[in-house]
Amino acid sequence: QVQLHESGPGLVKPSETLSLTCTVSGASINSDYWGWVRQTAGEGLEWIGRFVPSGSAVYNPSLKTRVAMSRDTSKNQFSLKLNSVTASDTALYFCVRDLNIWGRGTMVTVSS
Amino acid sequence: EMVMTQSPGTLSVSPGERVTLSCRASQGFSTNLAWFQQKPGQPPSLLVYDASARASGVPARFSGSGSGTDFTLTISSLQSEDFAVYYCQQYNNWPYTFGQGTKLEIK
């Protein structure tokens, strides 16, 4: 079955860059829609960005100036970078396939 | 950005009861709406897509309806495993947006 697994540092300092990777098994990231969603206690669930099958990415306008997503089809992975982080970026980050497959999430805390 | 508003925020119900959860969109659209269930320590799980289509493996007691700005998720007879938080999400306009959630708690 399709599985997604998020990995990356759990602690990031303010003003630095948050970097996460999603490793996919059981499906190819060359097809379908893949993306990142985060969850905070205050703001709830928020889409960060998603890839369309062509490989291009669309970003949430609220984060667009700070976010970049990339993918490595040879490793069947895709990644998220969010720069200039603040405490408000502290969240549980999920990688997702379309609507129906979610990773378990990885908690990222922004703190010095 | 389309705002999704769910009501109520919390619902206290007893097992066996029928419940209806509401989701209202700030702009009208057709049926590009999904419902998710989330339990503590787990990611959201897709229940319904296209407003009324049950996802694979979802019990028949879950049903979705609506179009335009008003959508509902109905659970016909609550089971113990249904006590969780429920979210609606529109995928008609980017950025896709979620409601703030409705928590079902045991009465």
Side-chain angles (χ1 to χ4, degrees), chain A residues 13 33 36 62 70 80 90 99:
Chain A
K13 290 183 168 54
Y33 295 81
W36 293 95
S62 69
S70 60
L80 169 71
T90 293
L99 296 175

Side-chain angles (χ1 to χ4, degrees), chain A residues 33 37 39 44-50 58-62 92 94 99-100 102-105, chain B residues 1 34 36 38 41-46 48-50 87 89-91 94-99:
Chain A
Y33 295 81
V37 174
Q39 185 171 30
L45 289 157
E46 178 182 38
W47 273 90
I48 298 170
R50 70 195 288 255
V58 291
Y59 302 123
N60 192 319
S62 69
L92 183 59
F94 297 99
L99 296 175
N100 63 339
W102 293 60
R104 294 200 63 82
Chain B
E1 172 177 303
F36 295 87
Q38 188 176 30
Q42 297 183 19
S45 176
L46 181 67
V48 169
Y49 63 96
D50 292 348
Y87 296 96
Q89 183 220 294
Q90 65 82 18
Y91 50 98
W94 181 259
Y96 300 159
T97 48
F98 293 88

